[in-house]
Amino acid sequence: MTSENLTSKPSRKALLSRRNVLRGTIAAGAAASGLAIAGRSRYAIAGNLIPIKLEWTEVAACHSPVGFGLSKGIYAKHGLDVELFYQGASGQTLIQALATRKAEAGPGLLYDWLKPIEQGFDVRLFAGSHGGCQSILVKPDSDIKTLTDLKGKVIGTFDVMSPSRVAFSVALAKAGLDPNNDVEWKVFPFDLVAEGMLRGEADAVAHMDPWAYSYEKKHGLRRVADTQTGVFKDRVCCVLGVNGDYYEANRDAIKRLASANLAIHEYTGKNPGEVAKWYFDTLKPGLPLEDLTEVLASFTYHDNWFGKELLKEVQIGFEDLKLTGVIDAGTDPEEIANRITIDIFA
């Protein structure tokens, strides 16, 4: 399937209804006295738990299960005493957080990990968490129907190398366009990307949820592409990485973290409304609870992004970024994927 022949994506309300039927409970372990979200966050739990610092992107909808899992004691149930470090919205600050030992592990977009790893950053990837969370949107009356229609157009985004730009550069390349020369990328302030397009300064916007969804709903924007369909169908979006030296010294802790991550995302898939309520009350992202619930319900939560499945995703990721020129032409995707991907439950 080409990226311009996108498979129809089920409506967010349909996904939400389907998941409501599946509602269940994962028993939470040791209870906590409270959760304070600031630059650093700590969830104090009594007991002989393994301490570990996780980075996260507090603002991102797809990272809200991390904070929720902490507040529910799911990490504690798996024997971990977790401290959260807010690393910002950039993939580069994700890398910096681990490199400077402000965190030992954490989730990040697959593509954000790969270039630093190619350049020698000692990180191992060990678990996938979800698929989806980014979209390209246009005004409802736009003549842009497919990715190839973006040739010669201006795409607004929030950073010169935003995750959305990186992801959709891959999609554009697979649709036969040069993502650096056939389109123009224009940067707007994070929360004003849609306004830039509405003022006529861009023809399309590339952004991540929950903001992309809020633009779609508020302004009636139309989705041309997203990271759940087309070339991204059944692909993982975010994966967990760990400092290589920390992993060698703390393998049991990372195996526990992978198990906790799976439990947290299974819970989110079955109870998106509960996680959204925590997100709404605690992080106050400035969007209606209904929107946050529908966004979390729309992500794909799989239980098979480990071992060989994760290895395949990592190899494809390197191949994707070679196509856009981010990864060097001489890099062997199969070799490097095998070297840095952990089969955590082997």
Side-chain angles (χ1 to χ4, degrees), residues 13-75:
K13 289 187 181 294
L15 283 162
L16 179 58
S17 298
R18 186 161 64 242
R19 288 199 171 112
N20 281 339
V21 175
L22 297 173
R23 285 183 182 277
T25 302
I26 295 176
S33 59
L35 173 66
I37 301 291
R40 281 183 172 293
S41 311
R42 194 159 189 92
Y43 187 84
I45 304 171
N48 188 24
L49 305 180
I50 302 170
I52 185 170
K53 290 181 284 188
L54 302 184
E55 58 75 25
W56 73 323
T57 299
E58 179 184 329
V59 297
C62 59
H63 279 212
S64 61
V66 174
F68 173 82
L70 191 58
S71 73
K72 289 288 288 185
I74 296 176
Y75 290 110

Side-chain angles (χ1 to χ4, degrees), residues 38-39 56 86 92 94 102 122 125 138 179 189-190 213 240 255 269 283 295 344:
W56 73 323
Y86 174 44
Q92 294 310 304
L94 156 71
K102 292 175 180 175
D122 185 17
L125 304 179
V138 298
F190 187 91
Y213 177 59
L240 274 74
K255 187 172 183 178
L283 303 182
V295 165
I344 196 68

Side-chain angles (χ1 to χ4, degrees), residues 91-340:
Q92 294 310 304
T93 53
L94 156 71
I95 302 304
Q96 292 166 12
L98 268 65
T100 58
R101 298 301 190 270
K102 292 175 180 175
E104 284 122 8
L109 291 160
L110 174 61
Y111 290 147
D112 282 345
W113 291 110
L114 302 186
K115 185 62 179 180
I117 288 174
E118 182 198 36
Q119 294 175 322
F121 185 44
D122 185 17
V123 166
R124 316 289 174 82
L125 304 179
F126 63 92
S129 58
H130 73 277
C133 73
Q134 300 179 80
S135 300
I136 286 187
L137 305 168
V138 298
K139 289 187 287 188
D141 60 351
S142 172
D143 60 357
I144 298 170
K145 307 296 184 185
T146 67
L147 288 171
T148 53
D149 292 335
L150 287 165
K151 185 171 184 178
K153 305 296 186 181
V154 177
I155 305 173
T157 189
F158 59 89
D159 186 82
V160 66
M161 284 302 291
S162 70
S164 303
R165 174 174 178 171
V166 174
F168 291 116
S169 288
V170 170
L172 288 167
K174 291 188 173 182
L177 301 185
D178 182 333
N180 298 311
N181 297 309
D182 286 340
V183 301
E184 177 185 349
W185 298 91
K186 188 169 183 176
V187 175
F188 296 93
F190 187 91
D191 55 351
L192 296 175
V193 177
E195 283 71 12
M197 182 183 70
L198 295 173
R199 289 195 305 266
E201 298 176 36
D203 302 293
V205 298
H207 214 324
M208 62 184 184
D209 286 327
W211 296 274
Y213 177 59
S214 72
Y215 296 156
E216 189 177 2
K217 190 170 183 180
K218 179 180 179 181
H219 302 296
L221 302 185
R222 178 165 47 79
R223 189 185 306 134
V224 172
D226 59 46
T227 50
Q228 288 192 36
T229 55
V231 297
F232 297 113
K233 183 175 172 57
D234 297 325
R235 295 282 307 280
V236 72
C237 182
C238 286
V239 301
L240 274 74
V242 56
N243 278 318
D245 57 353
Y246 182 88
Y247 171 68
E248 293 300 334
N250 300 273
R251 295 192 177 202
D252 179 61
I254 298 306
K255 187 172 183 178
R256 291 171 181 270
L257 181 58
S259 296
N261 180 74
L262 176 58
I264 287 166
H265 286 85
E266 284 183 339
Y267 192 95
T268 302
K270 295 173 182 176
N271 303 275
E274 185 180 348
V275 180
K277 184 67 164 59
W278 179 90
Y279 184 27
F280 178 82
D281 291 341
T282 309
L283 303 182
K284 305 184 187 310
L287 297 172
L289 176 59
E290 179 187 3
D291 288 5
L292 299 177
T293 301
E294 292 178 8
V295 165
L296 287 173
S298 74
F299 296 155
T300 55
Y301 305 100
H302 291 221
D303 60 3
N304 60 348
W305 282 321
F306 299 94
K308 291 181 179 179
E309 290 298 321
L310 179 61
L311 176 64
K312 177 182 176 182
E313 292 293 314
V314 174
Q315 181 174 334
I316 293 173
F318 277 110
E319 292 168 353
D320 287 347
L321 295 191
K322 280 187 74 171
L323 187 63
T324 62
V326 172
I327 296 296
D328 295 342
T331 295
D332 182 343
E334 182 178 3
E335 184 279 328
I336 194 170
N338 276 284
R339 177 158 45 87
I340 60 94

